[in-house]
Amino acid sequence: MKIRPSGPGALIRKIAENVSLGGAKRSIDRAIDRGLVRAGWMPEIMDGRGKVLHMSDTPTAIYGYLARVLRRVNPSVVVHTGDLSDDIKLELYPGEEERYHNAAKRLVNILAAPRRTVYLVLGNHDRADLLPYLPDQFVLVDDAADFTIGGVMFSISHYVGRTREHPGRFNLFGHEMVTKSYAEGDDRYFLNGVETMRLIDPVADEIESIGYPRKTNDARLMRRGRTRC
């Protein structure tokens, strides 16, 4: 006959065993997560509440990675400064309308979240008439725009020159890699979203970088090779 352990001592041992197993599982989960971050498969976990996430010129190959960024950062505002599907060059290949529409629909679903404002700036490879339905929290920017968070002004455009016409504290652009991100004294930042994604805290006046996956530029330039991320 099998005798089951009973009494307070057995209960305490059972609880300790479960706690130990739970702790081991958490340690393993953390180690796996760190490995995925180092490998570039997952971004760091960051607190995006009250912050602005800037990205630009995103090829469809990294959409899966962008979805993971949005889940792990959960920013209050997203600014995309154009070329929503940067491996679909509508300016060069106008016959790609259906493919562009389907890709843009997928990206909109990735960016959308309750109580999140999303600014979509049209780039030279975008067309407003091919975009899917945009939820109310989306703001479509044809050329340039500005907005304020916590009394701090943001100027956004696909092109750096347009942000300079009415600059704010943070000036966000994309389009090319020639113009690197730079600061004008302690008053203004000009940030190129092609280089890296950035999480901007306008109240604390802090900027954190979130790198794109490797081979993102290959995908932007439509170079052959495996670039799915």
Side-chain angles (χ1 to χ4, degrees), residues 173 179-183 190-193 195-196 198:
F173 63 96
T179 306
K180 305 298 183 182
S181 298
Y182 64 97
F190 291 83
L191 304 175
N192 187 341
E195 297 172 342
T196 185
R198 291 183 176 89

Side-chain angles (χ1 to χ4, degrees), residues 15 20 31 62 72 85 103 106 117 123 138 141 161 178 191-192 194 213 216 222 229:
I15 292 173
S20 178
I62 71 167
R72 289 166 70 91
S85 307
R106 182 184 170 203
T117 301
F138 278 68
V141 178
V178 175
L191 304 175
N192 187 341
V194 180
T216 295
M222 300 186 298
C229 303

Side-chain angles (χ1 to χ4, degrees), residues 39 67 114 158 199:
H158 191 53
L199 187 64

Side-chain angles (χ1 to χ4, degrees), residues 11 25 31 37 39 54 63 93-94 116 119 121 127 138 143 161 174 183 190 209 226:
L11 179 61
K25 184 179 184 303
V37 170
H54 175 216
Y63 280 7
Y93 307 105
R116 174 185 295 156
Y119 291 88
V121 181
R127 275 177 49 184
F138 278 68
D143 183 20
F190 291 83
S209 293
R226 187 176 183 274

